[in-house]
Amino acid sequence: MTAARRRPWLEHLLVLGALGALLLGYTTVVEGRDWWVTTTLVAGLVALVCGVLGSVAPRLAVPVGAVVLVLVLGWVFVPETFAGLVPTWSTLTGLWSSLERAQVLVMEEAAPAAAARPIVLLLAVAFGGLVLLVELLLRLRHGALLVGAILVSVYAAPALVSGETPSVWLFVVPAALWLVLLRVRTQSAARGWSTVVPALGLGGSALLVGVLLPPVMPDVTAVAKPWGEPPPQVFGRGINPMLQLGQNLRRNSSAVAATYTTTLDSPPYLKVAVLRDFEGRTWRPARSQAGDAFESRIAIDDDIPTTEATTRVRIDELRSTMLPVPYPALDIDGLRGAWTYQRAGLTVTSRSATTVGQDYSVTSLDRQPTAEQMRALSTGTGVGASLQTYLSLPGDVPAVVGDTAREVTADATNDYDRAVAVQDYLRDNFVYSETAPVAEDYDGNGVRVLETFLEEKAGYCVHFSSAMAVMARELGIPSRIAVGYAPGQAVGNDDDGDAVYEVTSDDLHAWPELYFDGVGWVGFEPTPGVGARTGFEEPDAPESDTSDDTTDESTPQRQADAADRGGSVTQEAVGVDDAAPTAPRTAATVGLGLLVAALLPGALRYVQRRRRLGGSAPDPWWREVEASALDVGLAVPAAGTPRGLADVVAPRVDPDDLRRVVTAVERSRYARPGTDVSDERESVRRVVDQVRESGSRLERLRARFLPRSLWRRG
C-alpha cells in the first residue's frame, strides 16, 4: 500500500497550531500579548504560503516563503525603508540592525523583558524561520519525527532562559497536534494499521510520560547562553544577572566599568538590578506588580535623619541597558536617551538607550538611623500584603538553612540584631572563593546549593547574598538581592579635591537588602573581604552631625514629579519608538497578504487562459479545455486522448464546436507535416466558456478563486 499523498496545507495548519500554543510559554520571557499576535500572524502567513505552494510547486515553497517573510517583517518593523510598496536595500540593513539591537536586549534585559520592537522582530524571525524549516523536514520520509524534536526544543527554550517551567498544557496541546500530524503522515488506516498503531502508540506513550514525569524530575535551572559570547563590557546577562555573575568574576581580564565622585560619607554600592522571586531554582528579577510603589516615596519615620547626596557617574567600558545608580535614587540629570525607573528596587532601565558614554548625576537619599532606632523599628513590626512576595520561599528549602538562621540569632530580640547576627556569622565563619563552588559542583544559588554552601563554608557573593536573603525570610524578615557594583577603589582626586572612585568588572557584586518599616530597604554585606559590614551608630558612639534640618523640602515634589511621568528620567527623546505596538500593523499586513493570496490563484489562471487561447497552436487550446474541466470538478483522466476528454465534457458543450476543436487538435498531432489545420479559436473559446459555466454556483466560485488545475501534477 503506497503512502497517502502529502497534504501540505493540513500539515502546516497542525504545526502552526502547535507553534502558536508553544509561543504562549514565552510569556515568562517577554511581557504582554502584542508580540504573540505579531509572531503568530507572521508565522501563519508563511505557513499559508508554504501550504499552498507545497501542493502546487513544492520547490518554490521555501524560497517564496522566505521572500514573503522578509517582505512582511520589513513592512511591519521598518516600513520607512520601503520605496512605496517596494523594499530597498535599507530594508534588509534596517532589519539586521534591529536584530543586533535585539541581541543586546536579550543579553541584558531582565525576564520577562519588555516587548520592545527588536525582541518582537527576533521572535517573528525565529518562528517564521521554523515554519520554513518544517516545510523542508516534512518532505523527508520520517520528517514528522524531526518536527516533534523541534516542538520539544521550542517548549524547553523559555524554561532554559527564565528558569520557570511552562504549564503542562503547553506541552499537551502541541503534543496532541503532533500525534495528529503523525497520523496524517502514516499510511491509510484501511490497510496500514501495522504502521499506524506503533506510531500512535509510541507518540501516545511519549505524551503520557511527558505529562507525568516532569513533576517528579529535578527543577529546570536557567542555563541560557547569549547568541555568542557577550562583549566584555556587557554587565552579566540581563535575563538574570545572577546566572553569569560567577563567570564574569572569574574572567581573567579586568575592565573599568565606571568612575564616580560622591558627597556621601562613604562610597556607595551602585545597583543595577533587583532579584525578588525565588522558587528554589534561582533568584529571578522582580516583576512589576500593580501594587508596587516607587520606593523613593516609602514613608520614612520623622525621627530618622536623612540628607540628600549627589553622585556623579561617568561610564567607561560598560554597555548595558541597565544604569548603575546608588540607592535610593531621587533624581537623575544628564542622561542621553529614554530611561525609566522600575518601581521595585528603584533601578533604572531603557528599552532603546545604553550606558555607553553616559555622564550623569544622581541625587540619592542618605538615611542615617541609629542602631537603637533600628531595633525599635523592627521589634513587633507586622508585614503588610505588599511585602508578602519578599517572604515567599519554596517548600523544599533544606532544614539546615532555617535551623542555622535560628541558631545564630538565638540571642537576638529584634529583627535588626538578627540581621546583623546572620551577616556577622557569614563574614566571620566563611571564606571567599570563586573556584571552590565550581570545583565542588555547587555553583549557583538554588536551595540545594545553599545546603552545600553552608557545609563547605566557601563561596562568592552569589552564595553569601542568597544564603542571607533566604535565612532572613526564614526569620520573617522581607528580603531580596541587589546586583551591581561594590564601591570600588579610590584612584585620586578631581579638580575640586573630591575623591574619585573606580569600579571594574572585578567589583561586580550581589548583596542582600532587608526591609525595615520606617526606614525602607537596607543593604547588608555578608560577603567577607568585600566592602564593610552594615551596622548603625550605637548609643555610646559619637553623635552624628546629621539632623532632620538637612532634609531638602523639594524632595517630596521631585518624587511626585517622577511618579507623574511614570518614573521616566528621559532627558532626550530617541529616534525609534521601540515600545510601539506591532500587532495592528502586522494584522493589516497579513490581511493584505491573505487577500493577495486569495486572489493570486485566480489571477494566475486568468493569465494562463488568455495565453493559451491567444495562440494559433491547437495543443494549448486543448490543455485549456482540460484545465477548465478540472476546475469545475469533472473527472479528467491524468493521461488520455483528446476523444477521451471529449467524452467527459460532451454533455456540457455544443457538439459542433467540440467536434471542430477535436478535429483540429488531432490533425495537429497525428497528420503528416504540412497538413493545414483550421483556426478554431472562436470554437475553443465557446467550448471553454460553456465548460466553465456548466458547474454549480459553488463549483464556479471555486474554479474562479481556487482552480484545481493549478494543483494538478502531470
Side-chain angles (χ1 to χ4, degrees):
M1 185 70 175
T2 58
R5 174 174 290 183
R6 199 190 147 203
R7 288 174 283 180
W9 62 270
L10 178 57
E11 295 170 353
H12 279 287
L13 181 63
L14 293 171
V15 172
L16 181 63
L19 290 177
L22 290 172
L23 196 57
L24 293 173
Y26 287 71
T27 55
T28 61
V29 180
V30 185
E31 290 179 339
R33 286 290 187 270
D34 176 88
W35 59 269
W36 185 90
V37 176
T38 296
T39 305
T40 304
L41 287 174
V42 170
L45 184 57
V46 177
L48 173 66
V49 171
C50 289
V52 172
L53 289 180
S55 299
V56 181
R59 294 182 179 180
L60 296 178
V62 172
V64 174
V67 171
V68 169
L69 175 61
V70 173
L71 288 176
V72 172
L73 294 177
W75 187 247
V76 171
F77 292 95
V78 286
E80 67 279 359
T81 64
F82 276 60
L85 296 176
V86 180
T88 64
W89 179 251
S90 297
T91 303
L92 296 178
T93 57
L95 290 173
W96 183 254
S97 177
S98 292
L99 288 175
E100 288 182 329
R101 172 66 186 153
Q103 179 180 357
V104 175
L105 293 174
V106 166
M107 290 191 296
E108 298 178 356
E109 281 285 344
R117 289 168 67 89
I119 291 182
V120 181
L121 171 62
L122 175 62
L123 287 170
V125 169
F127 278 77
L130 283 176
V131 172
L132 297 176
L133 177 60
V134 165
E135 169 61 24
L136 290 174
L137 293 178
L138 288 178
R139 296 181 190 176
L140 304 177
R141 182 176 180 83
H142 301 294
L145 297 177
L146 297 177
V147 171
I150 290 178
L151 296 180
V152 171
S153 300
V154 175
Y155 171 76
L160 296 177
V161 171
S162 67
E164 184 173 343
T165 304
S167 167
V168 67
W169 292 109
L170 295 182
F171 175 83
V172 171
V173 173
L177 292 173
W178 177 66
L179 290 180
V180 176
L181 177 64
L182 280 180
R183 175 63 186 88
V184 169
R185 297 280 293 185
T186 53
Q187 293 181 341
S188 171
R191 295 178 58 185
W193 286 109
S194 60
T195 303
V196 175
V197 172
L200 294 184
L202 178 61
S205 300
L207 175 59
L208 184 62
V209 170
V211 172
L212 299 180
L213 193 57
V216 300
M217 291 293 288
D219 289 328
V220 176
T221 300
V223 294
K225 300 293 183 184
W227 296 14
E229 287 301 319
Q233 65 270 27
V234 171
F235 175 81
R237 175 170 171 78
I239 285 295
N240 189 335
M242 287 284 274
L243 296 179
Q244 292 191 350
L245 190 55
Q247 295 182 23
N248 279 280
L249 290 171
R250 288 187 288 269
R251 187 187 302 151
N252 292 328
S253 60
S254 177
V256 176
T259 56
Y260 68 91
T261 60
T262 185
T263 61
L264 289 163
D265 293 337
S266 58
Y269 287 67
L270 300 179
K271 184 159 65 174
V272 172
V274 164
L275 311 178
R276 175 179 64 191
D277 303 326
F278 184 62
E279 297 180 356
R281 296 179 291 271
T282 184
W283 289 85
R284 297 198 310 274
R287 297 182 183 179
S288 296
Q289 297 179 349
D292 290 339
F294 285 101
E295 293 181 2
S296 59
R297 304 181 68 190
I298 289 177
I300 298 177
D301 285 359
D302 294 338
D303 59 345
I304 302 296
T306 59
T307 60
E308 288 190 9
T310 301
T311 302
R312 179 69 178 268
V313 182
R314 179 170 61 85
I315 300 297
D316 291 312
E317 300 181 48
L318 172 66
R319 181 184 181 89
S320 175
T321 56
M322 301 181 285
L323 193 72
V325 292
Y327 178 85
L330 302 178
D331 196 14
I332 304 177
D333 293 321
L335 280 177
R336 299 189 308 275
W339 296 81
T340 304
Y341 283 119
Q342 301 300 310
R343 294 173 178 268
L346 209 64
T347 54
V348 181
T349 63
S350 175
R351 295 180 180 177
S352 55
T354 70
T355 56
V356 173
Q358 298 282 4
D359 191 336
Y360 54 96
S361 295
V362 184
T363 302
S364 60
L365 191 65
D366 185 15
R367 300 155 296 166
Q368 301 163 342
T370 64
E372 185 176 3
Q373 288 174 318
M374 290 294 294
R375 293 185 180 104
L377 288 173
S378 58
T379 301
T381 300
V383 176
S386 63
L387 292 173
Q388 287 298 327
T389 304
Y390 296 96
L391 287 172
S392 176
L393 286 172
D396 57 347
V397 176
V400 65
V401 180
D403 293 343
T404 302
R406 286 181 286 273
E407 180 181 348
V408 301
T409 61
D411 296 332
T413 59
N414 56 80
D415 288 343
Y416 170 69
D417 285 338
R418 292 186 186 97
V420 171
V422 173
Q423 172 187 252
D424 292 346
Y425 168 73
L426 294 171
R427 287 185 70 97
D428 296 340
N429 297 279
F430 289 64
V431 296
Y432 183 91
S433 173
E434 296 170 4
T435 57
V438 178
E440 300 299 327
D441 195 25
Y442 65 94
D443 198 16
N445 54 93
V447 290
R448 297 303 170 190
V449 168
L450 293 182
E451 182 176 22
T452 307
F453 168 68
L454 292 176
E455 295 174 358
E456 298 293 333
K457 291 183 168 54
Y460 55 95
C461 59
V462 168
H463 304 90
F464 287 97
S465 59
S466 182
M468 182 166 180
V470 174
M471 293 169 78
R473 292 190 179 188
E474 288 279 6
L475 297 171
I477 306 173
S479 67
R480 66 190 186 191
I481 294 177
V483 182
Y485 291 94
Q489 303 294 324
V491 293
N493 298 89
D494 63 8
D495 295 339
D496 298 327
D498 296 327
V500 177
Y501 296 89
E502 181 180 88
V503 293
T504 71
S505 54
D506 294 335
D507 296 310
L508 288 169
H509 192 48
W511 63 95
E513 292 182 328
L514 277 57
Y515 184 81
F516 295 86
D517 194 17
V519 171
W521 291 97
V522 177
F524 284 80
E525 186 49 271
T527 305
V530 179
R533 66 184 75 205
T534 298
F536 295 96
E537 182 182 327
E538 295 291 348
D540 56 351
E543 293 185 1
S544 171
D545 293 335
T546 304
S547 66
D548 293 341
D549 297 336
T550 61
T551 302
D552 188 343
E553 294 298 330
S554 68
T555 299
Q557 184 59 48
R558 181 184 295 118
Q559 295 165 351
D561 292 342
D564 290 341
R565 62 178 183 261
S568 174
V569 292
T570 300
Q571 306 298 331
E572 176 183 319
V574 294
V576 179
D577 183 8
D578 278 346
T582 56
R585 190 175 185 90
T586 310
T589 302
V590 171
L592 179 61
L594 292 175
L595 179 61
V596 171
L599 298 178
L600 184 60
L604 290 176
R605 275 292 291 126
Y606 174 79
V607 172
Q608 186 184 69
R609 183 164 53 252
R610 289 290 300 270
R611 179 174 56 82
R612 286 171 173 172
L613 298 182
S616 59
D619 265 348
W621 304 344
W622 198 245
R623 286 200 299 271
E624 180 55 36
V625 173
E626 181 183 41
S628 298
L630 280 170
D631 290 343
V632 295
L634 296 181
V636 176
T641 64
R643 291 190 179 274
L645 176 60
D647 292 339
V648 174
V649 301
R652 305 192 179 201
V653 301
D654 182 89
D656 293 333
D657 286 333
L658 180 61
R659 177 180 52 77
R660 286 192 289 269
V661 173
V662 171
T663 300
V665 172
E666 289 179 336
R667 283 184 178 179
S668 69
R669 289 184 179 183
Y670 309 122
R672 293 179 179 180
T675 303
D676 291 336
V677 178
S678 59
D679 187 349
E680 300 294 347
R681 276 179 285 186
E682 291 301 322
S683 296
V684 78
R685 288 193 182 101
R686 287 194 293 270
V687 168
V688 168
D689 290 342
Q690 291 165 1
V691 169
R692 294 178 63 233
E693 295 299 323
S694 65
S696 65
R697 181 187 298 272
L698 181 61
E699 288 173 337
R700 293 197 302 271
L701 284 174
R702 175 162 182 171
R704 181 179 297 274
F705 294 105
L706 292 173
R708 291 181 177 90
S709 59
L710 289 179
W711 275 253
R712 177 71 174 261
R713 299 178 184 178

